[in-house]
Amino acid sequence: MTDTGGAPGGQGDDTPTPSQGIRQTPAPGSGESKPPEDHSASPATPPRGWQPPDPQAVPQTPPPGWQQAPGFRPEALPPFAGQQPQYAPAPRWNPHGLGKPGVIALRPLNIGDILDGAITAIRRHPLLILGIGAVMAVITAGITFVVQKYALGDLERIASTAELGPGATEEEARDLVFGTFGDLFLVLIPTLLISSLLLSVTTGLMAAVMGRAALGREVTFGIVWREVQPRLLPLLGVGFAYAVVTTVGIMLCIIPGVLAWVFWALAAPALVLERGTFRQAFARSVKLVSGAFWRVLGILVLARIIESFFENIIQLPFTLGTGVFSQVLNPGKVFVPDTGDLLLASAGQIISGTIAIPFVTLVTVIVYLDQRMRREGMDIELARAAGVTPPQAW
């Protein structure tokens, strides 16, 4: 078939032909391919009057007669055009872990957190904590005064025989040396035993205090006493056993004493807060310290260094008043304190111990709580007890 480009009805002469520059559109089915369109001249912007489709106009309900396929979930479909997907906000990082309802954060603690927790507890409950510390300091100073007063006669005997001339025999020199060390041990060992015993008992009392202070609850001496009273005899037993083993171990051989001092340091808090027995308290302490021996040792030693530094600063004026520094100016003379000097030293011991004893015992209790949060997830239990909802994982 020949394509003339003319119109029917005999008017083909007036109609332009393809040879005259007019491109003819091929008929459908003619087999000729459509030439590519040139988009270089098309406008970059939509034509006038064009509007984007309204996402609200998209039908939200299915047409009549439509049935949902079994197992189909509409919420699994992607959002419609123009709608932003909604995501649950990610949980924000909290420096206090599960919160800080009380004096410590509910998360594994570092050394700074432990020391700060002890100081914060003293600041929030000064009357209760310092009152317990003052009672223990008075008992410690009183017993120490009695022991030193009893040994005062031997010290006077040593002072009378200390100035041995060049003609002194070997036996006299040996008696002097052994007599001096014997009197020192006579004063030192009972003092260490009494101090360790009272520290253990105080640690049990502070465990009852921290058990409520960590949750931000009210704590009074009556509440603490009701908590400790049923376990007072086991607590005294734990304190006595801990004091004897650690003191004798350190005096005879340092390593066994240090091991017992660290591994059994958490026995008193475990006894009070877990309401266990004598044997269970020591077993729990060993279990909690195992695997963290050097960390617990470092924290306890640091607490004792801070305690010693603080006590020496407070006791310095009282020590100057006793005249003990005259020994430095005259080393060849043995200084024998009288009763007034011992009373003045005891006053300084009471003042310093009122703050130092609670600090050390609170650090020990917080170490116990920290070890349980690290190993047993006690922070979640404390958060629930404090009414704090733990954040959900995302």
Side-chain angles (χ1 to χ4, degrees), residues 242 245-246 250 254-267 282 284-301 304 364 367 371:
Y242 181 70
V245 173
T246 55
I250 292 176
I254 295 178
I255 295 179
V258 172
L259 293 177
W261 182 61
V262 177
F263 277 108
W264 290 353
L266 309 182
F282 286 103
R284 285 289 294 159
S285 180
V286 173
K287 181 179 179 180
L288 292 175
V289 176
S290 298
F293 174 83
W294 295 109
R295 182 175 183 273
V296 176
L297 174 63
I299 296 175
L300 295 180
V301 170
R304 289 302 181 96
T364 305
V367 169
Q371 288 301 114

Side-chain angles (χ1 to χ4, degrees), residues 35-339:
E37 297 180 2
D38 186 10
H39 297 281
S40 60
S42 60
T45 59
R48 297 181 59 184
W50 180 89
Q51 294 182 355
D54 186 5
Q56 303 296 333
V58 180
Q60 303 294 330
T61 58
W66 179 85
Q67 294 183 355
Q68 177 176 314
F72 174 77
R73 295 184 297 109
E75 63 271 11
L77 294 176
F80 293 109
Q83 294 181 347
Q84 296 296 330
Q86 301 294 328
Y87 299 99
R92 299 180 62 184
W93 177 78
N94 189 350
H96 300 313
L98 300 181
K100 190 177 180 181
V103 297
I104 59 174
L106 301 184
R107 59 171 173 78
L109 307 174
N110 54 37
I111 298 179
D113 296 328
I114 294 174
L115 300 179
D116 178 73
I119 297 175
T120 303
I122 296 175
R123 293 176 58 185
R124 291 191 181 182
H125 309 281
L127 295 179
L128 174 63
I129 295 179
L130 296 182
I132 296 175
V135 172
M136 296 301 172
V138 169
I139 297 175
T140 304
I143 297 176
T144 303
F145 172 80
V146 173
V147 173
Q148 291 177 346
K149 184 66 177 178
Y150 175 79
L152 189 60
D154 292 337
L155 291 176
E156 293 177 352
R157 180 180 58 81
I158 293 173
S160 62
T161 59
E163 298 179 358
L164 296 178
T169 62
E170 182 179 354
E171 183 178 0
E172 292 176 346
R174 184 172 59 252
D175 292 341
L176 175 63
V177 172
F178 282 102
T180 303
F181 280 103
D183 288 309
L184 290 177
F185 277 99
L186 182 64
V187 176
L188 184 61
I189 291 180
T191 303
L192 290 177
L193 284 173
I194 294 167
S195 299
S196 300
L197 174 61
L198 293 178
L199 279 176
S200 298
V201 175
T202 308
T203 303
L205 294 173
M206 293 304 171
V209 174
M210 283 299 300
R212 300 182 64 87
L215 302 177
R217 297 178 179 176
E218 180 186 4
V219 54
T220 61
F221 183 79
I223 296 175
V224 173
W225 180 249
R226 286 194 299 268
E227 183 73 18
V228 177
Q229 185 180 7
R231 286 166 288 278
L232 185 58
L233 290 179
L235 180 61
L236 291 174
V238 168
F240 181 77
Y242 181 70
V244 171
V245 173
T246 55
T247 301
V248 175
I250 292 176
M251 296 297 295
L252 298 180
C253 184
I254 295 178
I255 295 179
V258 172
L259 293 177
W261 182 61
V262 177
F263 277 108
W264 290 353
L266 309 182
L271 177 70
V272 173
L273 295 180
E274 299 182 19
R275 304 179 181 181
T277 60
F278 178 86
R279 296 181 61 182
Q280 290 174 349
F282 286 103
R284 285 289 294 159
S285 180
V286 173
K287 181 179 179 180
L288 292 175
V289 176
S290 298
F293 174 83
W294 295 109
R295 182 175 183 273
V296 176
L297 174 63
I299 296 175
L300 295 180
V301 170
L302 179 61
R304 289 302 181 96
I305 292 175
I306 296 175
E307 174 201 19
S308 178
F309 179 77
F310 183 77
E311 285 183 339
N312 290 332
I313 291 179
I314 294 181
Q315 294 180 9
L316 181 61
F318 299 92
T319 305
L320 291 175
T322 60
V324 71
F325 282 95
S326 62
Q327 182 77 27
V328 179
L329 302 177
N330 190 3
K333 183 180 179 180
V334 178
F335 172 73
V336 180
D338 55 15
T339 303

